[in-house]
Amino acid sequence: MDWISSLNSQGSSANVWTATAVVTCLALFQLFRYKQQQRFLREYGEADHELPFSTISIWGLTIGPGIEYHWKERFKLYKNNEKELLVLRPKVFGDPYFFTNSPEVLRQVNGQGWDKPEWGVEAMRFWGENLVSAKGETWKRHRRILQPAFNSKTYEMVWNESNRFYREMIATGNWPHQSGSTIDITNAQKMTGRFTLCVILSCGFGIKLGWDEKVHVKKDDPLTLDDGIHLQGSNILLVTYAPRWILNLPFKKLRFIRVATDMMRSWFKTSLAEKRALTEREGALSTQPLGGKDIFTRLVQASDESEKVQISESEIIGNTWVFFFAGHETAATVLAACFCLLAVNKEEQEIIHREVHEAMKQNSDDDELRFEAYESLIKTRAAFVEALRMMPPGNFMVREAVEDTILQVPSFENGIESKKSVPIRKGAVIGIDIVGIQYNPRIYPEPEKFKPSRWYGVTSDEAYSAFSLGNRVCIGKKFALTESVCFLANVMRDYTVEPLLKPGETLDSWKDRVLNETKCELTMTLVSSPVTFRRR
């Protein structure tokens, strides 16, 4: 029986050691949390909100709540707070950060003393450094290379191609020509996505195609370029951070993502080689006027060793990806949202229709709006910008203080507005809540309402904060506005738009299902966008 006593003794010792280890770990954890809390209070002050995970951490993005939190809480998050700069502290994992719904703060953190944190641009660098991910002097170099491609000639070409693609969509998509006839579009974003992709391919990269013409890298490729961009963009976090072997697991979705990524890589390299050969053969690099070069031509030109401002092959591919995705996905998202919002605001449809009808009297050829009509389509443009305000695709940005600084933050005490100086330590992170800015009642009274008229008297580009502000304002802003206004004007001239209801569904149920449900991947989009178009 001695051996049993010995085992009991050893077991008791093991239990003691296990208990001691557990208590020690808990004590160390509590000490760590205490020091973390003290550091938090020194650097950030009291937390305004607490969540299990940081909304911008990997855990927050995968488990939740993620950046959808700022959309879902857009009417509550900043309510009854004394200033427009709040602090979020994760309870379980993630670093604390400031977040703001102030355009004034956005303008400050887009200036000197602030930059994008490295971890915040990794996903955008998957294909290579680009205008969105670049910082400091690298960003200035990319901007100098690309800015000349965005000019009045480009915008006129965008307008003319938008007209062409609208005509082809109507002709090839079985759209009705008889008054009162309808067509149901179960997914408006698929339609608008096809439109904006065709425009960016044509005007940005010189790839002329028809509305129903698909682009494949090779004839036997299972996916089209449209599929590749969507699959790669909607799964950018997975392809960026997951080990390569994950994509080799025998699951259908993972296989599609892997095929799409490989297809995009092949397409980029093939297109780059073809563009180089074409420009060298035609002498375009040395003879074509600067203003006549599209985005892709300028990128290829900048890779020439004789150029003063140069760019690498990976940077060409990185910028090509950004302009493919950002150049069509964001505008497509807003256009789809605009049609859904117009569907439940019939009076706004008639305002646009009357404006387009008047513009046709002065600026049309063969029943087609000319580019000169763009400036006069104030109310049409306002409807698009209002949809952009209510459904901003780029719904969250992150900036990091590169030095100790002070922010001037709008604050309120007893209903009186003032500016409060808030010291910010080097390394502190601020989340720019674009949704919060667009729903800030101080800037936009009754933010929950679709009111295009709030933009009628706006002449300053600074007011379009959904395109960002300051030095980092979106380079493709006028490109997106031009194609979207043209498409919207054409559709609203010929059709009205109505909600496409499910059997037994009420209008209020449709509004809740369509206008309140979003998904946040690389951009924020409506989950569904079902509408019916009726010929006028």
Side-chain angles (χ1 to χ4, degrees):
M1 302 296 289
D2 291 342
W3 64 275
I4 296 178
S5 300
S6 177
L7 284 176
N8 288 334
S9 176
Q10 291 175 13
S12 299
S13 298
N15 289 336
V16 170
W17 280 109
T18 300
T20 303
V22 169
V23 171
T24 302
C25 288
L26 288 173
L28 289 173
F29 177 75
Q30 289 298 324
L31 179 62
F32 169 77
R33 293 292 292 172
Y34 173 77
K35 290 187 174 181
Q36 189 181 49
Q37 176 73 7
Q38 294 305 305
R39 174 177 169 270
F40 174 85
L41 291 172
R42 286 196 308 272
E43 297 186 2
Y44 292 89
E46 293 290 340
D48 297 288
H49 294 276
E50 291 185 331
L51 293 172
F53 303 102
S54 165
T55 61
I56 54 177
S57 68
I58 290 296
W59 289 106
L61 292 171
T62 53
I63 297 177
I67 52 178
E68 291 98 336
Y69 175 75
H70 296 273
W71 166 261
K72 293 176 180 178
E73 299 296 320
R74 63 194 182 280
F75 296 118
K76 304 176 183 177
L77 202 53
Y78 302 91
K79 197 172 183 180
N80 301 322
N81 284 289
E82 294 181 354
K83 62 181 184 298
E84 294 181 355
L85 183 70
L86 307 182
V87 178
L88 187 145
R89 184 172 73 89
K91 293 181 179 179
V92 179
F93 182 83
D95 294 324
Y97 66 92
F98 293 102
F99 58 99
T100 182
N101 67 335
S102 164
E104 295 88 347
V105 173
L106 167 59
R107 191 174 290 109
Q108 291 173 70
V109 300
N110 266 350
Q112 188 174 358
W114 295 85
D115 215 332
K116 297 182 178 182
E118 282 296 315
W119 53 263
V121 294
E122 286 178 341
M124 295 305 298
R125 283 182 179 152
F126 177 80
W127 291 108
E129 191 76 272
N130 56 74
L131 187 64
V132 174
S133 65
K135 303 191 291 183
E137 292 301 317
T138 303
W139 174 80
K140 291 179 182 178
R141 173 167 56 85
H142 283 248
R143 187 88 179 194
R144 283 197 299 271
I145 291 168
L146 291 165
Q147 185 67 65
F150 295 87
N151 56 68
S152 58
K153 290 184 179 180
T154 298
Y155 303 139
E156 184 172 3
M157 177 169 60
V158 168
W159 185 274
N160 292 334
E161 286 294 87
S162 297
N163 272 326
R164 176 171 76 88
F165 288 124
Y166 171 74
R167 292 195 308 271
E168 292 185 5
M169 179 187 76
I170 298 302
T172 63
N174 297 318
W175 283 63
H177 294 275
Q178 183 177 356
S179 178
S181 298
T182 63
I183 181 172
D184 292 341
I185 304 295
T186 57
N187 184 354
Q189 179 139 352
K190 185 176 181 180
M191 173 190 72
T192 57
R194 179 62 186 169
F195 165 72
T196 54
L197 180 63
C198 287
V199 173
I200 191 64
L201 284 173
S202 175
C203 302
F205 299 92
I207 301 173
K208 305 294 182 181
L209 72 164
W211 175 263
D212 56 355
E213 182 182 351
K214 301 298 183 181
V215 178
H216 295 267
V217 179
K218 299 176 184 176
K219 289 183 179 180
D220 58 348
D221 275 333
L223 300 175
T224 65
L225 185 61
D226 311 45
D227 299 325
I229 293 174
H230 175 72
L231 277 170
Q232 225 277 325
S234 59
N235 295 281
I236 192 68
L237 293 177
L238 178 65
V239 298
T240 300
Y241 297 108
R244 182 64 182 176
W245 60 265
I246 291 288
L247 297 180
N248 292 321
L249 293 175
F251 297 104
K252 185 176 180 180
K253 181 177 180 179
L254 293 177
R255 182 173 62 85
F256 274 134
I257 296 170
R258 184 181 71 252
V259 170
T261 303
D262 292 341
M263 185 202 74
M264 292 295 296
R265 184 175 289 109
S266 177
W267 192 89
F268 286 143
K269 291 184 177 180
T270 301
S271 299
L272 179 56
E274 289 176 351
K275 175 63 79 171
R276 278 197 174 122
L278 177 64
T279 52
E280 289 172 4
R281 185 167 61 249
E282 296 181 351
L285 295 184
S286 58
T287 62
Q288 189 175 344
L290 187 66
K293 297 172 183 172
D294 60 31
I295 298 168
F296 203 26
T297 300
R298 286 203 57 79
L299 289 170
V300 173
Q301 176 189 17
S303 67
D304 192 298
E305 292 182 358
S306 64
E307 290 295 313
K308 292 182 179 179
V309 183
Q310 294 183 11
I311 196 168
S312 68
E313 181 170 310
S314 67
E315 290 175 320
I316 293 176
I317 294 175
N319 278 294
T320 301
W321 158 251
V322 163
F323 281 106
F324 268 151
F325 188 83
H328 96 278
E329 181 81 6
T330 53
T333 294
V334 180
L335 271 173
C338 190
F339 285 126
C340 291
L341 288 163
L342 286 169
V344 291
N345 289 275
K346 296 188 181 300
E347 68 283 359
E348 297 296 341
Q349 295 186 47
E350 296 310 309
I351 290 172
I352 294 173
H353 179 71
R354 289 194 296 269
E355 180 180 64
V356 174
H357 183 72
E358 288 300 313
M360 291 286 294
K361 295 178 181 179
Q362 304 294 327
N363 296 290
S364 65
D365 292 319
D366 298 326
D367 202 34
E368 186 171 284
L369 277 168
R370 295 196 304 266
F371 177 55
E372 289 77 12
Y374 172 79
E375 294 298 337
S376 67
L377 294 173
I378 296 170
K379 297 174 182 178
T380 308
R381 185 166 60 250
F384 176 80
V385 175
E386 178 69 347
L388 173 64
R389 180 191 71 79
M390 297 190 74
M391 186 63 56
N395 61 323
F396 206 81
M397 300 188 300
V398 181
R399 294 292 183 268
E400 182 179 31
V402 297
E403 59 187 31
D404 290 348
T405 187
I406 295 177
L407 287 175
Q408 300 300 319
V409 179
S411 303
F412 310 90
E413 188 173 352
N414 298 323
I416 300 174
E417 182 181 343
S418 62
K419 289 288 192 297
K420 183 175 182 179
S421 296
V422 178
I424 305 293
R425 288 175 176 262
K426 178 181 178 180
V429 170
I430 290 188
I432 310 302
D433 183 1
I434 299 298
V435 171
I437 291 175
Q438 306 311 314
Y439 283 83
N440 186 333
R442 177 176 65 87
I443 309 299
Y444 306 108
E446 297 182 305
E448 73 285 355
K449 293 184 179 180
F450 180 67
K451 296 173 62 176
S453 59
R454 71 174 89 241
W455 301 100
Y456 288 178
V458 174
T459 56
S460 171
D461 288 344
E462 285 285 288
Y464 295 173
S465 56
F467 285 107
S468 193
L469 297 171
N471 294 333
R472 284 279 186 168
V473 67
C474 175
I475 195 174
K477 177 175 66 175
K478 183 67 176 289
F479 191 110
L481 286 171
T482 301
E483 64 178 339
S484 300
V485 168
C486 184
F487 189 70
L488 192 57
N490 274 300
V491 174
M492 289 293 98
R493 178 193 61 194
D494 299 332
Y495 297 87
T496 60
V497 59
E498 307 163 5
L500 176 57
L501 304 177
K502 292 181 177 180
E505 186 176 38
T506 66
L507 181 59
D508 285 340
S509 297
W510 182 92
K511 288 180 181 180
D512 189 58
R513 172 172 66 95
V514 174
L515 299 179
N516 285 326
E517 293 298 320
T518 65
K519 57 181 178 181
C520 294
E521 293 167 341
L522 198 56
T523 58
M524 186 176 75
T525 64
L526 291 174
V527 172
S528 61
S529 48
V531 290
T532 295
F533 290 95
R534 185 180 301 275
R535 185 75 186 195
R536 289 184 180 273

